[in-house]
């Protein structure tokens, strides 16, 4: 069943359109992550779903009811903010029960729900503390608790982990994933951190300049990106892009000639390709393998040894840096010349406009 | 490396300057307290030592002035002015900052321009307005012109810039209407700003002299500042009595400041942490 639907949703501030017609279906219990660079409109879209921003045109439907003009508190949503937005003059208990108090929920019921949420989030010993007496992680848990007590249909998270340090972020990420399983809740989560997106999401929505670039499961987006933007955005370190020109052989096979790499030719799938067509070839850092049939002649610029693997940053002449992930990189050093081999079947081809050719 | 002796001169100058400024600030208070213990003639002669006329001066003050009535008048005017000014100006400051529009910015600029108009230029039109409203010789006439204070609105607007917009968003998601957000979230969160504004407005209202002098005409309505002034402007003013009155008039503002000092400093530094 579809819990939330966006149909042709647009948002404009005067003449400036920031959300340019978003269509999206989110099913009950799904964990959906909006991801994209700063200013792509992901937070605005989330705020529109919450009712904190007006929808200029289009329909927002929750549980088959159009809620464009419905008050935020009556949409059946709860939101967790980046800065936690805890009321500083109230205790944890009061913060968590505040919305229920205003909704006219009887006191014993409020107490019960606060206790339940505190139990789930291990907040019981902190219930009588004020937010300023809590650590960042504890505040974040209270903010989540405040959302849980409302028993919402949909949880909205707006970059909830970006104020936490790296270690705590990993811990809270696991907590949120656990909570999603435990509550079987529908979650819409905004982040610019693609590791969060990849690890948490059932479905990722990649946004750029107010447009949905692609929707899919994390691995779908990683393995089968629809365009150059998604290919570059998903994955860390990001995908390598090489400029190429298509040559069609007499046997009907297609090759991409790489002018910046000594006119090295790699075999590509000929579907949709024409002689002389400029293309971009995408190769992920981990797709460089010693047994690959294609090869790039590169000089190592810099190395990052992470213990288990090494990232080699290399280039051909004065060309762009190419990132290579290798398990056998301990013996490498800057300035070494290497033949970076890869399987051409792993290379993705994008046309001049950035659209994936397949 | 610098030697110690070369560092002493600037420090000496700084301490000397700060000390002089502190003395200039405190001197009127010392003079006021010493004056209250001396007879008028000794004060005129410039005696700066404690005297023995304190009891006489206090007794004379209580004989000449209906102290409970005068204090009640001052308290009434001050509390009314303070509460109403804080309520109206904080609402206006919140409104100007939160609900921005080009028209409101123009209105705000126009309001700030009123800070440049001296009160002397407003006195006559205000007096005529109060006269037409039949409010001359009432405390309402003293309070009304002070409520919409451009300075306090400006102060609240500046402080509201530090009020996190996400708190307002969270309150909206929690189901609060705008007035409830103001009352249940903004006011408690900004309490240091309110405390600082309270002290400023309270002191201004308590010490207000010129406007009450114009609109309050009967002895039954006069405030403490007017009464002390009338004692000082008598044909043979008794300065010992005037000093006793001045001490008594200073006490409430001192008390307010000492009780709210911490919040005042916090409010001046910024309410939201």
């Amino acid at each position: 069943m579809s819990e939330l639907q966006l149909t042709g949703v647009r948002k404009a501030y005067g003449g400036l359109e920031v959300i340019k017609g978003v269509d999206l279906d989110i099913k009950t219990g799904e964990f959906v992550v909006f991801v994209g660079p700063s200013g792509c409109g992901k937070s605005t879209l989330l705020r529109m779903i919450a009712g904190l921003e007006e929808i200029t045109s289009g329909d927002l439907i929750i549980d088959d009811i159009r809620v464009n003009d419905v008050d935020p508190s009556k949409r059946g949503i709860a939101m967790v903010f980046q800065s936690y937005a805890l009321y500083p003059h109230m205790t944890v208990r009061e913060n968590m029960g505040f919305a229920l108090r205003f909704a006219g929920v009887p006191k014993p019921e409020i107490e019960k729900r606060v206790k339940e949420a505190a139990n789930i989030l291990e907040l019981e010993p902190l219930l009588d503390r004020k937010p300023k007496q809590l650590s960042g992680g504890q505040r974040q848990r209270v903010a989540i608790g405040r959302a849980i007590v409302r028993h919402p249909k949909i949880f909205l998270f707006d970059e909830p982990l970006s104020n936490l340090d790296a270690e705590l972020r990993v811990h809270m990420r696991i907590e949120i994933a656990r909570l999603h399983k435990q509550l079987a809740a529908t979650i819409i989560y905004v982040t610019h951190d693609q590791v969060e997106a990849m690890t948490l999401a059932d479905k990722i929505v990649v946004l750029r300049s107010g447009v949905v670039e692609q929707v899919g499961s994390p691995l779908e987006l990683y393995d089968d990106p629809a365009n150059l933007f998604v290919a570059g955005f998903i994955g860390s370190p990001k995908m390598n892009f090489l400029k190429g020109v298509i040559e069609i052989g007499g046997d009907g096979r297609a090759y991409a000639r790489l002018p910046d790499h000594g006119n090295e030719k790699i075999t590509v799938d000929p579907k949709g390709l024409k002689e002389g067509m400029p293309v971009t070839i995408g190769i992920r850092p981990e797709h460089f393998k010693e047994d690959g049939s294609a090869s790039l002649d590169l000089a190592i610029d810099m190395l990052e040894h992470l213990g288990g693997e090494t990232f080699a940053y290399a280039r051909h002449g004065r060309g762009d840096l190419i990132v290579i992930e290798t398990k056998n990189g301990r013996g490498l050093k800057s300035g070494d010349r290497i033949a970076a081999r890869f399987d051409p079947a792993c290379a993705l081809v994008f046309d001049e406009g950035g659209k994936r050719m397949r | 490396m610098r030697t110690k002796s070369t560092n002493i001169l600037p420090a000496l100058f700084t301490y000397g300057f700060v000390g002089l400024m502190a003395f200039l600030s405190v001197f009127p208070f010392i003079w006021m307290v010493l004056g209250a213990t001396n007879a008028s003639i000794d004060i005129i002669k410039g005696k700066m030592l404690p005297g023995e006329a304190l009891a006489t001066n206090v007794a004379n003050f209580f004989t000449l002035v209906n102290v409970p009535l005068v204090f009640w008048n001052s308290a009434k005017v001050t509390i009314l002015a303070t509460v109403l000014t804080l309520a109206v100006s904080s609402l206006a400051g919140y409104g100007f900052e939160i609900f921005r529009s080009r028209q409101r910015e123009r209105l705000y600029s126009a309001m700030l321009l009123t800070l440049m108009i001296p009160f002397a230029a407003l006195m006559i039109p205000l007096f005529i307005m109060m006269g037409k409203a039949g409010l001359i010789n009432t405390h309402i006439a003293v309070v009304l012109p002070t409520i919409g204070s451009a300075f306090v609105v400006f102060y609240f607007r500046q402080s509201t810039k530090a009020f996190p917009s996400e708190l307002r968003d969270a309150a909206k998601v929690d189901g609060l209407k705008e007035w409830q957000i103001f009352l249940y979230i903004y006011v408690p969160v900004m309490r240091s700003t309110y405390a600082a504004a309270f002290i400023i407005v309270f002191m201004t209202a308590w010490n207000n002299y010129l406007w009450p002098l114009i609109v309050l005409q009967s002895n039954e309505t006069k405030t403490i500042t007017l009464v002390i002034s009338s004692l000082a402007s008598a044909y043979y003013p008794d300065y010992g009595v005037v000093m006793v009155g001045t001490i008594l008039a200073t006490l409430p503002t001192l008390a307010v400041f000492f009780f709210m000092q911490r919040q005042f400093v916090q409010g001046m530094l910024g309410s939201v942490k």
Side-chain angles (χ1 to χ4, degrees):
Chain A
M1 195 185 99
S2 181
E3 181 136 47
L4 183 137
Q5 274 177 291
L6 297 163
T7 315
V9 166
R10 290 174 187 276
K11 172 75 188 173
Y13 296 103
L16 180 71
E17 196 167 44
V18 291
I19 299 290
K20 298 165 183 166
V22 169
D23 297 298
L24 198 62
D25 264 4
I26 294 172
K27 293 187 178 63
T28 304
E30 256 186 335
F31 197 127
V32 178
V33 175
F34 292 172
V35 73
S38 297
C40 70
K42 54 192 187 295
S43 283
T44 307
L45 191 58
L46 191 80
R47 290 171 60 80
M48 287 160 80
I49 295 170
L52 297 170
E53 295 281 351
E54 272 181 36
I55 295 170
T56 308
S57 67
D59 295 321
L60 169 63
I61 292 160
I62 297 177
D63 264 356
D64 299 326
I65 298 165
R66 189 178 183 272
V67 294
N68 286 39
D69 305 314
V70 174
D71 202 64
S73 64
K74 300 198 167 62
R75 291 186 180 199
I77 54 107
M79 189 156 171
V80 178
F81 294 87
Q82 184 177 352
S83 66
Y84 325 126
L86 299 177
Y87 307 124
H89 56 294
M90 296 181 199
T91 62
V92 169
R93 189 191 304 278
E94 288 164 342
N95 261 288
M96 286 167 75
F98 191 64
L100 301 179
R101 187 155 71 89
F102 268 84
V105 176
K107 245 186 175 176
E109 175 66 16
I110 296 176
E111 270 298 310
K112 194 181 131 217
R113 288 207 213 170
V114 168
K115 244 184 178 173
E116 272 171 15
N119 184 34
I120 293 171
L121 296 161
E122 293 162 17
L123 286 170
E124 281 123 327
L126 310 175
L127 281 175
D128 294 315
R129 291 202 197 163
K130 294 263 178 80
K132 67 178 174 192
Q133 297 167 301
L134 305 176
S135 67
Q138 288 169 335
R139 284 182 206 189
Q140 191 53 270
R141 294 217 305 271
V142 176
I144 296 171
R146 190 167 65 172
I148 290 175
V149 294
R150 300 183 58 197
H151 294 173
K153 288 179 208 153
I154 303 166
F155 285 87
L156 307 176
F157 286 82
D158 188 5
E159 307 211 25
L161 308 185
S162 43
N163 284 359
L164 304 178
D165 63 49
E167 198 181 330
L168 203 53
R169 204 179 303 164
V170 174
H171 175 72
M172 284 307 294
R173 207 165 68 204
I174 296 164
E175 286 279 302
I176 290 171
R178 183 179 62 86
L179 205 68
H180 176 233
K181 273 198 184 137
Q182 198 172 344
L183 301 173
T186 307
I187 294 180
I188 305 176
Y189 188 105
V190 163
T191 182
H192 62 263
D193 180 342
Q194 47 132 327
V195 178
E196 266 172 46
M198 293 293 282
T199 51
L200 288 171
D202 295 324
K203 192 198 261 177
I204 295 180
V205 179
V206 183
L207 285 147
R208 179 170 61 157
S209 308
V211 174
V212 173
E213 292 285 336
Q214 193 174 356
V215 180
S217 73
L219 291 181
E220 258 172 48
L221 263 57
Y222 188 82
D223 295 335
D224 196 14
N227 55 44
L228 209 58
F229 176 77
V230 176
F233 195 79
I234 301 289
S236 177
K238 63 184 281 187
M239 185 182 270
N240 298 295
F241 295 120
L242 316 171
K243 283 192 187 105
V245 179
I246 294 299
E247 286 179 3
I248 308 286
D251 53 358
R253 292 168 84 173
Y255 303 91
R257 183 170 51 81
L258 309 174
D260 294 343
H261 290 271
N263 286 321
E264 177 73 32
K265 283 184 187 177
I266 60 166
T267 319
V268 290
D269 184 352
K271 214 183 282 175
L273 301 177
K274 286 180 195 142
E275 176 73 27
M277 186 177 170
V279 291
T280 303
I281 304 297
I283 310 161
R284 293 224 178 262
E286 72 272 21
H287 287 153
F288 287 95
K289 304 270 184 208
E290 280 164 11
D291 56 354
S293 60
S295 169
L296 300 175
D297 178 26
L298 303 170
I300 294 175
D301 214 40
M302 208 188 77
L303 289 155
E304 282 179 351
H305 296 291
L306 302 182
E309 71 259 320
T310 299
F311 291 114
Y313 294 83
R315 63 174 97 226
H316 179 88
R318 290 182 174 182
D320 293 337
L321 272 181
I322 297 205
V323 190
I324 300 158
E325 185 184 332
T326 171
K327 298 274 179 202
N328 312 314
R330 293 197 177 202
L332 296 172
K333 49 187 193 301
S334 295
D336 280 359
R337 294 197 74 82
I338 53 164
R341 307 188 74 83
F342 63 95
D343 179 1
C346 295
L348 308 180
V349 183
F350 302 90
D351 71 9
E352 209 176 0
K355 196 179 151 226
R356 172 90 180 280
M357 303 302 294
R358 50 187 164 182
Chain B
M1 202 179 128
R2 281 187 176 186
T3 58
K4 256 190 173 178
S5 59
T6 53
N7 281 337
I8 281 175
L9 264 179
L12 209 65
F13 177 78
T14 309
Y15 277 104
F17 180 75
V18 171
L20 179 71
M21 288 299 127
F23 176 75
L24 289 177
S25 306
V26 175
F27 179 73
F29 286 91
I30 298 170
W31 192 35
M32 176 176 79
V33 174
L34 291 175
T37 65
N38 284 304
S40 189
I41 187 74
D42 292 330
I43 298 169
I44 292 164
K45 281 180 184 168
K47 185 183 168 189
M48 290 301 294
L49 291 168
E52 288 160 358
L54 178 65
T56 321
N57 288 338
V58 171
N60 287 345
F61 181 77
F62 274 83
T63 314
L64 288 167
V65 177
N66 183 350
V67 177
L69 177 71
V70 167
F71 266 82
W72 166 241
N73 287 342
S74 276
K76 196 164 87 176
V77 166
T78 305
I79 290 166
L80 259 177
T82 309
V83 170
L84 290 174
T85 305
L86 289 190
V88 170
S89 303
S90 64
L91 264 171
Y94 177 81
F96 276 124
E97 184 54 29
I98 302 288
F99 307 105
R100 289 191 186 194
S101 75
R102 202 171 285 175
Q103 286 80 3
R104 282 188 201 108
E105 287 306 313
R106 283 194 196 122
L107 186 67
Y108 182 68
S109 304
M111 188 202 71
L112 286 187
L113 280 177
T114 63
L115 284 171
M116 295 168 71
I117 305 171
F119 185 70
L122 298 171
M123 270 180 343
I124 296 169
L126 269 177
F127 187 81
I128 294 168
M129 278 166 67
M130 294 301 157
K132 282 188 176 162
L135 294 173
I136 298 296
N137 204 27
T138 66
H139 290 140
I140 302 285
V142 180
V143 172
L144 272 181
T146 66
I147 292 171
S149 161
F151 171 73
V152 185
V153 173
F154 167 77
Y155 176 62
F156 269 101
R157 182 179 182 174
Q158 291 307 110
S159 302
T160 306
K161 287 183 194 296
F163 180 70
S165 63
E166 284 194 338
L167 280 187
R168 203 167 146 258
D169 290 340
K172 275 189 193 170
V173 173
D174 280 347
L176 273 74
K177 303 268 175 273
E178 200 62 54
W179 70 268
Q180 290 171 319
I181 295 174
F182 181 82
L183 203 64
Y184 295 110
I185 310 293
Y186 179 83
V187 173
V189 169
M190 304 298 282
R191 61 182 183 278
S192 301
T193 301
Y194 275 92
F198 178 89
I199 291 179
I200 295 166
V201 178
F202 183 93
M203 285 185 175
T204 312
W206 183 267
N207 295 326
N208 197 2
Y209 173 68
L210 188 57
W211 179 239
L213 180 70
I214 294 162
V215 283
L216 299 180
Q217 289 164 354
S218 70
N219 283 336
E220 286 70 39
T221 55
K222 282 189 176 168
T223 56
I224 185 81
T225 45
L226 302 185
V227 170
I228 292 171
S229 156
S230 65
L231 288 175
S233 57
Y235 197 70
Y236 290 113
D238 186 335
Y239 289 113
V241 173
V242 171
M243 295 299 185
V244 168
T246 318
I247 289 174
L248 288 176
T250 312
L251 288 179
T253 51
L254 273 181
V256 164
F257 188 78
F258 278 117
F259 278 118
M260 301 179 81
Q261 198 176 13
R262 199 169 56 88
Q263 288 92 327
F264 179 75
V265 174
Q266 245 176 30
M268 284 295 165
L269 292 175
S271 217
V272 184
K273 286 274 164 67

